[in-house]
Amino acid sequence: MSVLKRVGMTAMAVAALVVPAGVVVGTAGPAAAKAATTQGCPYGAVCIYPQNAGWNGGHPSHFYYSYGAHNLSNMVGVHRIYNNQSGGATTRTCTGYNGTGCQGYLPANNYIDKDMTPINSITLQR
């Protein structure tokens, strides 16, 4: 088995351990291992795609680059979140504003389809 496949499987196993039940998690595939834009999400960013649109043809609706909390507004229903940051950088969804009440960790090069109705902020951290 190639190193990339083992790394992808390890990342997916880690994501399965830290993501709440009832959500879909996956890796973005071998292309995500390269420092490049993937599914329209620039390298180094966390992207959120429109409601019920999956990858939306590679057109995210929100981009986040800086570490820390980012408040959300008017985001309801299921959205895909893709972490295209590097290495050990993670992102979390939070029920409170300003990064309070956070849940799970989404590792770099992974995505999740999540009901954002109760979510009011996300955080990016290393």
Side-chain angles (χ1 to χ4, degrees), residues 37-41 47-63 78-82 111-113:
T37 297
T38 303
Q39 295 294 337
C41 187
C47 298
I48 301 178
Y49 295 80
Q51 182 180 7
N52 299 321
W55 292 112
N56 194 41
H59 294 91
S61 54
H62 297 79
F63 302 81
V78 175
H79 292 258
R80 180 159 291 169
I81 303 169
Y82 175 49
Y111 72 91
I112 183 172
D113 291 331

Short mmCIF file of all heavy atoms in Angstrom, two decimals, residues 37-41 47-63 78-82 111-113:
data_model
loop_
_atom_site.label_atom_id
_atom_site.label_comp_id
_atom_site.label_asym_id
_atom_site.label_seq_id
_atom_site.Cartn_x
_atom_site.Cartn_y
_atom_site.Cartn_z
N THR A 37 -4.89 24.33 -4.84
CA THR A 37 -6.33 24.52 -4.70
C THR A 37 -7.00 23.18 -4.97
O THR A 37 -6.68 22.49 -5.93
CB THR A 37 -6.82 25.58 -5.69
OG1 THR A 37 -6.20 26.82 -5.36
CG2 THR A 37 -8.33 25.73 -5.64
N THR A 38 -7.92 22.78 -4.09
CA THR A 38 -8.65 21.53 -4.23
C THR A 38 -10.13 21.83 -4.13
O THR A 38 -10.56 22.49 -3.18
CB THR A 38 -8.24 20.53 -3.13
OG1 THR A 38 -6.83 20.33 -3.20
CG2 THR A 38 -8.95 19.21 -3.29
N GLN A 39 -10.90 21.38 -5.11
CA GLN A 39 -12.36 21.62 -5.14
C GLN A 39 -12.67 23.11 -4.95
O GLN A 39 -13.64 23.47 -4.30
CB GLN A 39 -13.06 20.78 -4.08
CG GLN A 39 -12.97 19.30 -4.30
CD GLN A 39 -13.72 18.85 -5.56
OE1 GLN A 39 -14.62 19.51 -6.05
NE2 GLN A 39 -13.31 17.70 -6.08
N GLY A 40 -11.82 23.97 -5.51
CA GLY A 40 -12.02 25.41 -5.44
C GLY A 40 -11.57 26.04 -4.14
O GLY A 40 -11.67 27.26 -3.97
N CYS A 41 -11.06 25.26 -3.22
CA CYS A 41 -10.60 25.76 -1.92
C CYS A 41 -9.08 25.96 -1.96
O CYS A 41 -8.34 24.98 -2.12
CB CYS A 41 -10.97 24.77 -0.81
SG CYS A 41 -10.63 25.37 0.85
N CYS A 47 -12.76 25.96 3.81
CA CYS A 47 -13.85 26.43 2.95
C CYS A 47 -15.16 25.77 3.35
O CYS A 47 -15.19 24.61 3.74
CB CYS A 47 -13.55 26.10 1.50
SG CYS A 47 -12.06 26.92 0.90
N ILE A 48 -16.23 26.53 3.23
CA ILE A 48 -17.57 26.02 3.44
C ILE A 48 -18.32 26.20 2.12
O ILE A 48 -18.26 27.26 1.50
CB ILE A 48 -18.30 26.74 4.58
CG1 ILE A 48 -17.50 26.60 5.89
CG2 ILE A 48 -19.72 26.20 4.75
CD1 ILE A 48 -18.10 27.32 7.08
N TYR A 49 -19.02 25.14 1.72
CA TYR A 49 -19.76 25.13 0.45
C TYR A 49 -21.24 25.38 0.73
O TYR A 49 -21.72 25.16 1.84
CB TYR A 49 -19.53 23.78 -0.25
CG TYR A 49 -18.08 23.60 -0.65
CD1 TYR A 49 -17.13 23.20 0.28
CD2 TYR A 49 -17.67 23.88 -1.94
CE1 TYR A 49 -15.79 23.07 -0.06
CE2 TYR A 49 -16.32 23.75 -2.30
CZ TYR A 49 -15.39 23.35 -1.35
OH TYR A 49 -14.07 23.24 -1.71
N PRO A 50 -21.99 25.83 -0.28
CA PRO A 50 -23.41 26.14 -0.08
C PRO A 50 -24.22 24.95 0.42
O PRO A 50 -23.84 23.79 0.25
CB PRO A 50 -23.88 26.56 -1.48
CG PRO A 50 -22.65 27.00 -2.19
CD PRO A 50 -21.55 26.12 -1.65
N GLN A 51 -25.36 25.25 1.00
CA GLN A 51 -26.25 24.24 1.58
C GLN A 51 -26.63 23.17 0.55
O GLN A 51 -27.02 23.48 -0.57
CB GLN A 51 -27.52 24.91 2.11
CG GLN A 51 -28.47 23.94 2.77
CD GLN A 51 -29.72 24.64 3.30
OE1 GLN A 51 -29.94 25.82 3.07
NE2 GLN A 51 -30.54 23.90 4.00
N ASN A 52 -26.51 21.92 0.98
CA ASN A 52 -26.92 20.74 0.18
C ASN A 52 -26.31 20.71 -1.22
O ASN A 52 -26.90 20.17 -2.14
CB ASN A 52 -28.44 20.67 0.07
CG ASN A 52 -29.09 20.52 1.42
OD1 ASN A 52 -28.59 19.81 2.29
ND2 ASN A 52 -30.20 21.21 1.62
N ALA A 53 -25.11 21.26 -1.38
CA ALA A 53 -24.50 21.34 -2.71
C ALA A 53 -23.24 20.47 -2.85
O ALA A 53 -22.61 20.51 -3.90
CB ALA A 53 -24.16 22.79 -3.04
N GLY A 54 -22.86 19.73 -1.82
CA GLY A 54 -21.63 18.95 -1.89
C GLY A 54 -20.46 19.87 -2.21
O GLY A 54 -20.29 20.91 -1.57
N TRP A 55 -19.68 19.50 -3.22
CA TRP A 55 -18.53 20.33 -3.62
C TRP A 55 -18.96 21.54 -4.44
O TRP A 55 -18.14 22.41 -4.75
CB TRP A 55 -17.53 19.50 -4.42
CG TRP A 55 -16.84 18.44 -3.60
CD1 TRP A 55 -16.99 17.09 -3.74
CD2 TRP A 55 -15.92 18.63 -2.53
NE1 TRP A 55 -16.21 16.44 -2.81
CE2 TRP A 55 -15.54 17.36 -2.06
CE3 TRP A 55 -15.37 19.76 -1.92
CZ2 TRP A 55 -14.64 17.18 -1.02
CZ3 TRP A 55 -14.48 19.57 -0.88
CH2 TRP A 55 -14.12 18.31 -0.43
N ASN A 56 -20.21 21.60 -4.85
CA ASN A 56 -20.75 22.74 -5.60
C ASN A 56 -19.90 23.08 -6.83
O ASN A 56 -19.67 24.24 -7.13
CB ASN A 56 -20.88 23.97 -4.69
CG ASN A 56 -21.73 25.06 -5.30
OD1 ASN A 56 -22.75 24.79 -5.92
ND2 ASN A 56 -21.31 26.30 -5.12
N GLY A 57 -19.45 22.05 -7.53
CA GLY A 57 -18.67 22.29 -8.74
C GLY A 57 -17.37 23.04 -8.48
O GLY A 57 -16.86 23.72 -9.36
N GLY A 58 -16.83 22.93 -7.26
CA GLY A 58 -15.57 23.60 -6.93
C GLY A 58 -15.73 25.08 -6.62
O GLY A 58 -14.81 25.86 -6.81
N HIS A 59 -16.93 25.46 -6.11
CA HIS A 59 -17.19 26.87 -5.79
C HIS A 59 -17.66 27.01 -4.34
O HIS A 59 -18.86 27.03 -4.07
CB HIS A 59 -18.25 27.45 -6.73
CG HIS A 59 -17.78 27.52 -8.14
ND1 HIS A 59 -17.99 26.50 -9.04
CD2 HIS A 59 -17.08 28.47 -8.80
CE1 HIS A 59 -17.46 26.83 -10.20
NE2 HIS A 59 -16.89 28.01 -10.08
N PRO A 60 -16.70 27.14 -3.39
CA PRO A 60 -17.09 27.35 -1.99
C PRO A 60 -17.78 28.71 -1.84
O PRO A 60 -17.56 29.63 -2.63
CB PRO A 60 -15.76 27.37 -1.24
CG PRO A 60 -14.73 26.88 -2.19
CD PRO A 60 -15.26 27.08 -3.57
N SER A 61 -18.61 28.82 -0.81
CA SER A 61 -19.27 30.10 -0.54
C SER A 61 -18.54 30.91 0.53
O SER A 61 -18.73 32.12 0.62
CB SER A 61 -20.72 29.87 -0.12
OG SER A 61 -20.78 28.97 0.97
N HIS A 62 -17.71 30.25 1.35
CA HIS A 62 -16.98 30.94 2.42
C HIS A 62 -15.54 30.41 2.47
O HIS A 62 -15.32 29.21 2.33
CB HIS A 62 -17.64 30.69 3.78
CG HIS A 62 -19.03 31.23 3.87
ND1 HIS A 62 -20.12 30.59 3.33
CD2 HIS A 62 -19.50 32.35 4.43
CE1 HIS A 62 -21.20 31.30 3.56
NE2 HIS A 62 -20.85 32.38 4.23
N PHE A 63 -14.60 31.32 2.74
CA PHE A 63 -13.18 30.99 2.84
C PHE A 63 -12.65 31.57 4.15
O PHE A 63 -12.91 32.73 4.46
CB PHE A 63 -12.38 31.64 1.70
CG PHE A 63 -12.84 31.27 0.32
CD1 PHE A 63 -13.94 31.89 -0.26
CD2 PHE A 63 -12.16 30.31 -0.40
CE1 PHE A 63 -14.35 31.56 -1.53
CE2 PHE A 63 -12.56 29.97 -1.69
CZ PHE A 63 -13.66 30.59 -2.25
N VAL A 78 -27.39 21.41 5.91
CA VAL A 78 -26.13 20.67 5.73
C VAL A 78 -25.23 21.40 4.73
O VAL A 78 -25.64 21.72 3.62
CB VAL A 78 -26.41 19.24 5.25
CG1 VAL A 78 -25.11 18.50 4.95
CG2 VAL A 78 -27.22 18.49 6.30
N HIS A 79 -24.00 21.65 5.17
CA HIS A 79 -22.97 22.27 4.35
C HIS A 79 -21.73 21.40 4.40
O HIS A 79 -21.45 20.76 5.42
CB HIS A 79 -22.59 23.66 4.89
CG HIS A 79 -23.67 24.67 4.76
ND1 HIS A 79 -23.68 25.63 3.78
CD2 HIS A 79 -24.78 24.87 5.50
CE1 HIS A 79 -24.75 26.39 3.93
NE2 HIS A 79 -25.44 25.95 4.97
N ARG A 80 -20.95 21.39 3.34
CA ARG A 80 -19.68 20.69 3.33
C ARG A 80 -18.60 21.66 3.82
O ARG A 80 -18.51 22.79 3.34
CB ARG A 80 -19.33 20.18 1.93
CG ARG A 80 -17.99 19.45 1.89
CD ARG A 80 -17.87 18.55 0.70
NE ARG A 80 -18.81 17.43 0.88
CZ ARG A 80 -19.10 16.57 -0.08
NH1 ARG A 80 -18.56 16.68 -1.28
NH2 ARG A 80 -19.96 15.59 0.14
N ILE A 81 -17.79 21.20 4.77
CA ILE A 81 -16.65 21.97 5.27
C ILE A 81 -15.40 21.21 4.85
O ILE A 81 -15.28 20.02 5.12
CB ILE A 81 -16.69 22.09 6.81
CG1 ILE A 81 -18.00 22.72 7.27
CG2 ILE A 81 -15.49 22.90 7.31
CD1 ILE A 81 -18.22 22.64 8.76
N TYR A 82 -14.48 21.89 4.20
CA TYR A 82 -13.23 21.26 3.77
C TYR A 82 -12.05 21.99 4.38
O TYR A 82 -11.92 23.21 4.24
CB TYR A 82 -13.13 21.27 2.24
CG TYR A 82 -11.81 20.74 1.73
CD1 TYR A 82 -11.30 19.53 2.21
CD2 TYR A 82 -11.09 21.43 0.79
CE1 TYR A 82 -10.08 19.05 1.75
CE2 TYR A 82 -9.87 20.95 0.32
CZ TYR A 82 -9.38 19.76 0.81
OH TYR A 82 -8.18 19.28 0.36
N TYR A 111 -12.79 16.51 4.88
CA TYR A 111 -14.03 17.28 4.82
C TYR A 111 -15.10 16.59 5.65
O TYR A 111 -14.97 15.43 6.02
CB TYR A 111 -14.50 17.48 3.37
CG TYR A 111 -15.05 16.23 2.71
CD1 TYR A 111 -16.41 15.93 2.77
CD2 TYR A 111 -14.21 15.36 2.01
CE1 TYR A 111 -16.92 14.79 2.16
CE2 TYR A 111 -14.72 14.22 1.41
CZ TYR A 111 -16.06 13.95 1.49
OH TYR A 111 -16.57 12.83 0.89
N ILE A 112 -16.16 17.35 5.91
CA ILE A 112 -17.30 16.83 6.66
C ILE A 112 -18.56 17.48 6.10
O ILE A 112 -18.54 18.66 5.71
CB ILE A 112 -17.13 17.13 8.17
CG1 ILE A 112 -18.27 16.53 8.98
CG2 ILE A 112 -17.04 18.61 8.44
CD1 ILE A 112 -18.05 16.63 10.49
N ASP A 113 -19.64 16.72 6.02
CA ASP A 113 -20.95 17.26 5.68
C ASP A 113 -21.67 17.42 7.02
O ASP A 113 -21.91 16.42 7.70
CB ASP A 113 -21.71 16.32 4.75
CG ASP A 113 -21.08 16.27 3.37
OD1 ASP A 113 -20.49 17.26 2.95
OD2 ASP A 113 -21.20 15.22 2.73
#
